[in-house]
């Protein structure tokens, strides 16, 4: 689909105005802020909720993000709108995934919005983050206003559906049932296989989701991780262990990509990142004494033995 630039919401001059208003000094801050809606970072943050807050928060945020990603990706493929192009643009990108709708916008709303309805963060925090992400995407010249508006609508729709899913489905399932359902949902990402190559890091993200699906199912049966209450230092250790392993796999996959390595190998490497996030990290944290489920069972066993 070719955008009609005569309409204000497709007019690239709006992007030029945003760039001129902020000026070149804002390029670095906006490049950093835009990561708050980046798919890779959001998936890491979803995993971090598991290590720190527990599986209920993780499953809820993951379901909401996957709903938003599915809706947005489908529209991107169907419309195939090119990125903005205008001679006066200070910053712009070409040759990447379709522009419409804004993926960073609907992913940011899906993730940060789900944390709001779960009571993890305040509404105003999410609003500020989403607005900054949206402005950053305009400033960087990668989206039209129309992309922002539809991305916003899709994100809000995903949060609404995610909230309903949590209340009507997730909260009525046992731990293992919920894990099986989430694992099935992650494996459902295979439906994107025919168009995976059309998206930047498409193969890597697909591999990561599949690895996370396998890890989710195995972990729920044999580890049953539940983060124990801990200090900020304890939580920092958990995130460092989890994120450190993910970064290792990501760096290896990125190096292979730069060297022109085959997509399937990159996908396998990123599946390792998913397994690390949802299986290896909970296992290590369990061995380090961060699993409240094990602590409770040990306490119960000790109490029973004492009574006898």
């Amino acid at each position: 689909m070719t955008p009609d630039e005569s309409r204000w919401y497709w007019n690239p001059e709006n992007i030029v105005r945003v760039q001129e208003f902020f000026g070149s000094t804002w390029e670095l801050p906006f490049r950093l802020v835009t990561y708050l809606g980046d798919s890779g970072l959001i998936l890491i943050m979803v995993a971090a909720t598991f290590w720190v807050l527990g599986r209920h928060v993780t499953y809820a945020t993951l379901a909401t993000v996957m709903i938003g990603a599915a809706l947005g990706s489908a529209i991107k493929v169907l419309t195939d709108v090119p990125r903005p192009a205008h001679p006066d643009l200070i910053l712009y990108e070409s040759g990447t995934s379709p522009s419409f709708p804004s993926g960073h916008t609907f992913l940011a709303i899906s993730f940060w919005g789900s944390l709001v309805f779960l009571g993890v963060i305040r509404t105003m925090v999410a609003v500020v983050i989403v607005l900054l992400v949206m402005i950053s995407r305009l400033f960087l010249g990668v989206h039209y206003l129309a992309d922002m508006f539809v991305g916003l609508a899709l994100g809000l729709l995903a949060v609404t559906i995610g909230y309903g899913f949590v209340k009507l489905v997730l909260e009525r399932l046992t731990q293992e049932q919920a894990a099986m359902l989430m694992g099935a949902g992650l494996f459902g990402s295979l439906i994107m296989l025919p168009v995976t190559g059309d998206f930047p890091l498409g193969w890597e993200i697909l591999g990561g989701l599949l690895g996370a699906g396998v890890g989710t199912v195995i972990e729920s049966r044999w580890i049953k991780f539940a983060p124990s209450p801990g200090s900020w230092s304890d939580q920092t250790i958990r995130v460092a262990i989890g994120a450190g392993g993910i970064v290792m796999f990501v760096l290896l996959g990125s190096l292979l990509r730069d060297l022109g390595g085959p997509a399937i190998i990159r996908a396998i490497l990123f599946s390792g990142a998913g397994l690390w996030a949802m299986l290896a990290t909970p296992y290590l944290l369990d061995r380090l004494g961060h699993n409240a489920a094990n602590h409770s069972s040990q306490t119960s066993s000790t109490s029973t033995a004492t009574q006898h």
Side-chain angles (χ1 to χ4, degrees):
M1 184 178 84
T2 302
D4 182 2
E5 295 185 0
S6 65
R7 299 186 179 275
W8 64 272
Y9 44 83
W10 288 118
N11 193 338
E13 291 183 3
N14 292 315
I15 307 171
V16 175
R17 294 188 187 100
V18 172
Q19 293 179 340
E20 290 176 344
F21 176 80
F22 286 99
S24 59
T25 56
W26 280 84
E27 180 178 353
L28 179 58
F30 277 135
R31 287 197 181 278
L32 294 175
V33 165
T34 202
Y35 278 107
L36 294 174
D38 178 76
S39 58
L41 182 59
I42 282 181
L43 289 176
I44 292 176
M45 290 190 291
V46 168
T49 64
F50 185 30
W51 313 324
V52 176
L53 300 174
R55 71 182 66 246
H56 176 72
V57 174
T58 302
Y59 292 172
T61 54
L62 181 58
T64 306
V65 167
M66 288 178 65
I67 291 167
L71 293 172
S73 299
I75 295 176
K76 277 182 177 287
V77 172
L78 292 173
T79 57
D80 195 24
V81 176
R83 296 284 178 174
H86 191 278
D88 294 333
L89 286 177
I90 301 171
L91 298 169
Y92 66 93
E93 293 180 13
S94 59
T96 56
S97 65
S99 175
F100 179 82
S102 168
H104 280 67
T105 299
F106 62 67
L107 287 177
I109 297 173
S110 299
F111 176 71
W112 299 105
S114 63
L115 292 182
V116 170
F117 75 66
L118 290 167
V120 177
I121 62 174
R122 294 182 179 275
T123 303
M124 187 53 63
V125 174
V127 170
V128 170
I129 290 174
V130 170
L131 285 176
L132 287 173
V133 169
M134 293 175 70
I135 294 172
S136 74
R137 302 309 286 168
L138 283 173
F139 177 83
L140 295 173
V142 292
H143 284 295
Y144 299 97
L145 283 175
D147 304 340
M148 301 289 106
F149 296 148
V150 176
L152 176 64
L154 286 177
L156 292 174
L157 177 61
V159 169
T160 302
I161 297 174
Y163 178 78
F165 172 77
V166 170
K167 293 299 181 182
L168 299 177
V169 179
L170 205 57
E171 292 183 353
R172 301 184 181 187
L173 300 177
T174 65
Q175 175 178 301
E176 287 194 12
Q177 288 173 334
M180 291 296 293
L181 180 61
M182 295 310 300
L186 289 165
F187 277 109
S189 60
L190 282 170
I191 64 173
M192 296 299 293
L193 188 61
V195 295
T196 298
D198 296 337
F199 294 90
L201 302 178
W203 285 102
E204 289 84 346
I205 292 174
L206 178 63
L209 292 175
L210 294 178
V214 173
T216 296
V217 173
I218 296 175
E219 182 280 330
S220 70
R221 292 183 63 86
W222 283 286
I223 301 175
K224 305 181 188 299
F225 179 73
S228 57
S231 63
W232 279 102
S233 61
D234 291 332
Q235 296 179 7
T236 301
I237 290 172
R238 297 173 195 173
V239 173
I241 292 173
I246 292 175
V247 169
M248 177 186 67
F249 282 104
V250 168
L251 289 176
L252 288 173
S254 299
L255 177 61
L256 186 63
R257 181 185 181 89
D258 293 340
L259 295 174
I264 187 64
I265 302 300
R266 302 199 309 268
I268 291 173
L269 274 173
F270 273 70
S271 70
L275 282 168
W276 181 274
M278 303 305 292
L279 180 60
T281 298
Y283 173 78
L284 290 174
L285 295 179
D286 174 65
R287 304 303 295 175
L288 292 171
H290 290 261
N291 191 352
N294 266 357
H295 178 73
S296 298
S297 62
Q298 290 171 1
T299 302
S300 176
S301 299
T302 303
S303 175
T304 302
T306 302
Q307 291 175 4
H308 287 291

